[in-house]
Amino acid sequence: CTVDVTDLTASQTATLPKFNSAIRVAGPDAVLDCKKHTISQRSSQNAAFCAASFNGPTNRQAAKLSCDLFYQVGILLVDGATAVNCKVEHFHSGIYIGKGGEVKKSEVSGNRNGLTIRDDITTGSTTKVKDLYAYGNYDGVIVADGDSAENGATTIKDATIKSNIRRGMTFRNTDVTVDDSVISYNGEDGIRITGDVLKNGVVSTKVTCSKEP
């Protein structure tokens, strides 16, 4: 489990200075195989509707209290780490990838953001997602969630992104490839490209987007 956890039961006025995750996996040789077990947390609130911001220590503390989420993230992957055969539910971000990583044969459901990807702007890191099932989240997949573009490259293949409350996928990245994937029955958009941050564009091949008539 991650060491970046602050327990607010001791002081309800304390801030959260660090990124908060249930499990942190770091390094290109680090692999978390959940063997199809579920990573979840108990909360009096529905994590999918936790609209509070977790950016910055003060916001994290307030959001943690208002949303009753002990952990912000279920699985945090950094510096090229891998998660496989995982099911993650009831977090603000089910799986969060920073500075590159890989997710395979996994499910994310009932989270505010099912999968969040922020590849590093300085290293040009890469992320690979294969055989992901994202459903019942507020947003299924968010790439480079923020106000500025990143320089990483993301590939999403064989994904099923369906029945998320708002959007299937949101892209803020310089290089995104979606291949052999199905995006269907999401509340607003199947794939949404926001802002002017797409320098190289989105490459999509064999992608099916559908919604109930």
Side-chain angles (χ1 to χ4, degrees):
C1 293
T2 178
V3 297
D4 295 345
V5 174
T6 300
D7 188 349
L8 285 182
T9 58
S11 172
Q12 295 296 321
T13 60
T15 59
L16 293 178
K18 295 183 178 181
F19 203 75
N20 186 310
S21 59
I23 297 175
R24 182 178 185 271
V25 189
D29 298 322
V31 179
L32 172 66
D33 188 346
C34 299
K35 299 184 184 297
K36 299 184 179 180
H37 291 291
T38 298
I39 299 169
S40 183
Q41 68 177 327
R42 295 180 180 178
S43 172
S44 62
Q45 307 294 321
N46 187 334
F49 293 100
C50 177
S53 172
F54 278 90
N55 295 322
T58 303
N59 285 341
R60 289 191 194 113
Q61 186 261 352
K64 186 173 179 181
L65 293 176
S66 64
C67 296
D68 190 27
L69 297 177
F70 187 88
Y71 297 107
Q72 174 187 355
V73 174
I75 299 175
L76 172 62
L77 303 176
V78 293
D79 298 329
T82 297
V84 59
N85 293 320
C86 296
K87 183 176 181 179
V88 189
E89 58 186 26
H90 306 315
F91 296 91
H92 193 273
S93 288
I95 301 176
Y96 190 109
I97 302 175
K99 300 182 181 180
E102 189 168 358
V103 175
K104 298 184 291 186
K105 299 180 180 179
S106 295
E107 296 183 15
V108 286
S109 64
N111 306 284
R112 177 70 179 185
N113 305 323
L115 171 64
T116 303
I117 300 170
R118 289 204 64 161
D119 286 330
D120 188 72
I121 193 170
T122 58
T123 63
S125 57
T126 60
T127 292
K128 295 181 180 180
V129 178
K130 182 175 173 61
D131 195 9
L132 174 73
Y133 185 24
Y135 64 97
N137 307 281
Y138 189 73
D139 287 316
V141 177
I142 296 181
V143 181
D145 182 22
D147 295 327
S148 61
E150 310 287 349
N151 282 336
T154 297
T155 300
I156 300 172
K157 182 177 175 64
D158 298 329
T160 300
I161 316 296
K162 66 180 295 186
S163 301
N164 294 286
I165 297 167
R166 185 171 66 164
R167 297 168 186 156
M169 295 180 172
T170 300
F171 295 144
R172 286 177 173 269
N173 206 301
T174 57
D175 189 358
V176 182
T177 299
V178 182
D179 189 19
D180 279 341
S181 297
V182 176
I183 300 96
S184 62
Y185 304 110
N186 298 286
E188 292 184 9
D189 306 304
I191 297 177
R192 182 179 179 87
I193 302 171
T194 62
D196 57 355
V197 299
L198 284 164
K199 187 175 182 180
N200 298 324
V202 174
V203 178
S204 298
T205 60
K206 301 180 181 177
V207 175
T208 301
C209 292
S210 62
K211 187 175 181 179
E212 291 179 328

